[in-house]
Each structure stands twice: as C-alpha cells, then as structure tokens.
Amino acid sequence: MPGDFNRDGRTDLALTGTNGWSTLPVAFSRGDGTFDVTNRDVGDFAVWAATGATVVPGDFNRDGRIDLALTGTHDWTTVPIAFSRGNGAFDITNRDVGAFAAWAATDASVVPGDFDRDGRTDIALVGANGWSTVPVAFSRGDGVFAITNKAVGDFAAWAATGAEVVPGDFNGDGRTDVALTGTSGWNTVPIAFSRGDGNFDIVNPGVGDFAAWAATGARVVPGDFDGDGRTDIALTGTNGWSTLRSPSRPAPASA
C-alpha cells in the first residue's frame, strides 16, 4: 500500500493482510531508491486485515500522515484504523459505525475522499444493487465516524450498472465528488457533487463519444490535466487507439 506514512513528502510502502502476521511492515523511502524498513506490532489489526477486508488508505486525523482503515468484512460493526505515528508504529482504534459496516460488506465500491473539506479522509459507498442512497462515513479524527445515508435518486442505480466509480474534485470546491463512466450505451458522465453534509447534487451531462470510448475497456485516468483545480478524466489503453481522450468539462453544480 503506497502512501506518505511519515509526512516527509516521499511515498512509502506498507504491507498488510497476510494470514498469521501480527505486524505492519513499512518501507520508508529515503528518496534515492533505498528504504528504511520497520516491522512493528499492530496487535489485532493485522488479524483483521487478513479477513479479506478492503484496506482504505487516507489521512483520517489530518496530521499529514497516511493511515490505514479496514472495512468490508461480513459481520463487522466497526471500522478499524491504524493511525501512523510516522516511525513505523501505529495507534489502533476500532470504533462502532452501526449499519455502515454491513453496507460496506455488500457489492458496493469503497470510495475514500474528503467529502466535507475538513482535511480528513472520509469513506463513501457507491454502486450496490438496489440502493437509492450513497452512505458516507465522515471521519472525526479519532477513529469515530459520523454516518449519513442520503438519497441520490437515479445516481445510485446508474452506479450499480457496473460503471467505473471515479472520485475527484470536479468543481474545484475542495470536496470530493463521484463520477461514473464506462457503461455501454451511455452518452453521459453522471456526477454526484458533494455538498459536504452527506447530500449530493446530481448532474448527468452529455459527453458525446467520450462515453462510448470509456465503454471499450479503456483505462480511466483521473487528474487535473489543465491546472485549474478541477479533476478531469482521460482514457487510454484500448487497442487500435492513437490518441489520449478526454471529455469537455461538465458545468459544475452550485457549491
């Protein structure tokens, strides 16, 4: 799992999820191709990570260091978090999140992002069959989450078509939004713009041929390609192409 675990601006590598482990190894990059390696005990977190849980990297307490959360295991009622101390050691929490843990154990995509612009990583769930909502677990910074589960109309059904879920800040307001692409027959890119409180403004603008190109199995690459502070989407990797394709930008929802 890549991330900056010690806040030095360099990406490090952490390992977790292997059966029988009680530690969380981290290779801290020195910046010259070498690494300082630690392998500290993390107690039950290592066992929990080996259940097949989804490992969610993010800065859950806004200290500038990447932490690791776990979710998606059946019968859980909690979201364990390993908060990085920056030296290979981690502080472990395992707080109750109510029904969110069960929702995460469905076929929903787990989407990390800062949905309320407070500098802490939150977790959204998108794409489970039969849903009409987007649950969001907003991190409070201490292992506790505030849970919302607001209706998003047709967006939930569109996400359940097998569309690729693309998180990003598509309107430049500092909050993570969610776009969908890649479903055959579409000529739009639906976007759920986060309002910051668990509600989303839904738009579904036409993008012409881009939607069909995205349904070819192309790799979807989000990023700010023009430096304007908004996330764009590029496509690459389809056989026979000689171009790198991107859509015209949809109009942003009001913040």
Side-chain angles (χ1 to χ4, degrees):
M1 186 67 58
D4 183 359
F5 292 95
N6 59 355
R7 200 174 54 196
D8 65 356
R10 296 189 289 258
T11 300
D12 314 305
L13 297 173
L15 303 174
T16 194
T18 296
N19 285 320
W21 283 11
S22 60
T23 61
L24 203 164
V26 183
F28 291 101
S29 176
R30 295 180 181 171
D32 60 358
T34 62
F35 294 83
D36 294 311
V37 178
T38 62
N39 191 25
R40 305 290 184 86
D41 185 85
V42 288
D44 290 332
F45 187 89
V47 177
W48 301 331
T51 62
T54 299
V55 181
V56 186
D59 183 2
F60 292 96
N61 57 355
R62 200 173 56 194
D63 67 356
R65 296 188 290 258
I66 294 298
D67 314 303
L68 299 176
L70 303 175
T71 195
T73 295
H74 288 285
D75 299 325
W76 281 11
T77 60
T78 61
V79 169
I81 304 180
F83 289 101
S84 177
R85 295 183 187 172
N87 60 357
F90 292 83
D91 295 312
I92 310 303
T93 62
N94 190 26
R95 303 294 182 86
D96 186 84
V97 290
F100 186 88
W103 300 332
T106 65
D107 55 348
S109 295
V110 176
V111 184
D114 184 1
F115 292 94
D116 56 359
R117 199 173 54 197
D118 67 355
R120 296 188 289 258
T121 301
D122 314 304
I123 303 172
L125 303 174
V126 180
N129 285 315
W131 283 11
S132 60
T133 61
V134 169
V136 184
F138 291 98
S139 177
R140 294 182 180 172
D142 58 358
V144 175
F145 291 85
I147 310 300
T148 62
N149 190 27
K150 304 293 183 72
V152 290
D154 289 333
F155 186 87
W158 299 332
T161 62
E164 181 153 358
V165 177
V166 187
D169 182 5
F170 293 97
N171 57 358
D173 67 356
R175 296 188 289 257
T176 300
D177 314 303
V178 181
L180 305 174
T181 195
T183 295
S184 294
W186 283 9
N187 58 13
T188 63
V189 170
I191 304 177
F193 289 105
S194 177
R195 295 184 189 171
D197 59 357
N199 287 295
F200 293 82
D201 294 312
I202 310 302
V203 299
N204 191 25
V207 291
D209 289 334
F210 183 87
W213 299 333
T216 62
R219 181 183 176 189
V220 175
V221 185
D224 182 4
F225 295 103
D226 55 2
D228 66 356
R230 297 189 289 259
T231 301
D232 314 305
I233 303 173
L235 303 174
T236 192
T238 293
N239 286 325
W241 283 10
S242 60
T243 61
L244 183 68
R245 308 178 187 207
S246 62
S248 58
R249 180 175 296 104
S254 57

